Amino acid sequence: MKKIIVKKRHSIRKSQAQELLDKLALQIGPSTELFHAETIEILETNADVTVFLVNKKPLLMDTGTWVFPTLRGAVQCPFPERMITVDAGAIPYVVNGADVMRPGIVAVSDDVIAGGPVQIVDERHKKPLAIGVALMDGSTIRASAAGKMCKNFHHVGDELWNLEL
């Protein structure tokens, strides 16, 4: 991702906010309630991802294909859906932007779908380390023995994480 430059920032209408939350509900179901707020703002940027501010914090993103919490959103409002858990050996690689390989995965939630967003969390604390895109369904990942299972989309220290408002 290139450096994100904020061009404009404005509140969205309640109907637009509801539409956004409905799209989010397709990904994380009932945990969408964690992201309800009086004001949701949209950031117009030069990035391929649309960022939404919930209570003045960049907690949601829209890629055009799916809406999902940003890494800050996953940290601030933990939710149990769409989760790939990695062991301690994989943590330094994942937080630096590496894709997730099968040997580092210790658990996969059943709702992980190929091409869909997932949160990558550490085994001990269940703290989100990155947001990724699953390359296979959860059951296929569990059945696999090796290979790349998840593409890293957004991690600690990238441009979206360091976004200044």
Side-chain angles (χ1 to χ4, degrees):
M1 237 186 255
K2 60 186 177 216
K3 176 137 176 68
I4 297 176
I5 299 167
V6 177
K7 296 175 183 173
K8 273 191 209 174
R9 166 182 170 174
H10 57 86
S11 295
I12 60 175
R13 289 189 221 109
K14 289 205 185 300
S15 61
Q16 291 172 306
Q18 189 56 52
E19 188 177 311
L20 175 72
L21 293 172
D22 289 345
K23 287 181 183 176
L24 180 62
L26 295 174
Q27 301 301 328
I28 65 171
S31 294
T32 300
E33 292 297 321
L34 299 169
F35 298 94
H36 277 270
E38 278 300 309
T39 58
I40 296 179
E41 297 174 275
I42 186 171
L43 285 182
E44 291 182 20
T45 67
N46 63 333
D48 300 335
V49 177
T50 304
V51 179
F52 293 92
L53 302 178
V54 179
N55 293 329
K56 302 188 188 299
K57 294 181 183 124
L59 301 185
L60 297 174
M61 62 182 165
D62 183 354
T63 64
T65 309
W66 41 260
V67 173
F68 204 70
T70 62
L71 187 52
R72 284 191 193 278
V75 169
Q76 187 169 331
C77 305
F79 57 96
E81 294 86 7
R82 302 285 174 111
M83 192 178 292
I84 292 180
T85 307
V86 295
D87 62 19
I91 293 171
Y93 299 101
V94 172
V95 297
N96 284 318
D99 294 336
V100 179
M101 308 301 277
R102 179 58 183 109
I105 297 173
V106 293
V108 180
S109 63
D110 293 330
D111 58 355
V112 171
I113 56 170
V118 294
Q119 57 178 328
I120 303 162
V121 300
D122 76 290
E123 182 177 24
R124 181 182 288 166
H125 304 291
K126 299 288 188 234
K127 187 167 180 150
L129 306 168
I131 302 297
V133 177
L135 300 176
M136 301 175 192
D137 291 335
S139 57
T140 309
I141 292 173
R142 280 191 291 277
S144 299
K148 189 185 298 186
M149 301 291 131
C150 179
K151 181 145 180 52
N152 197 321
F153 183 79
H154 164 41
H155 61 279
V156 174
D158 70 2
E159 281 71 20
L160 189 52
W161 177 264
N162 293 326
L163 183 67
E164 293 178 24
L165 303 174

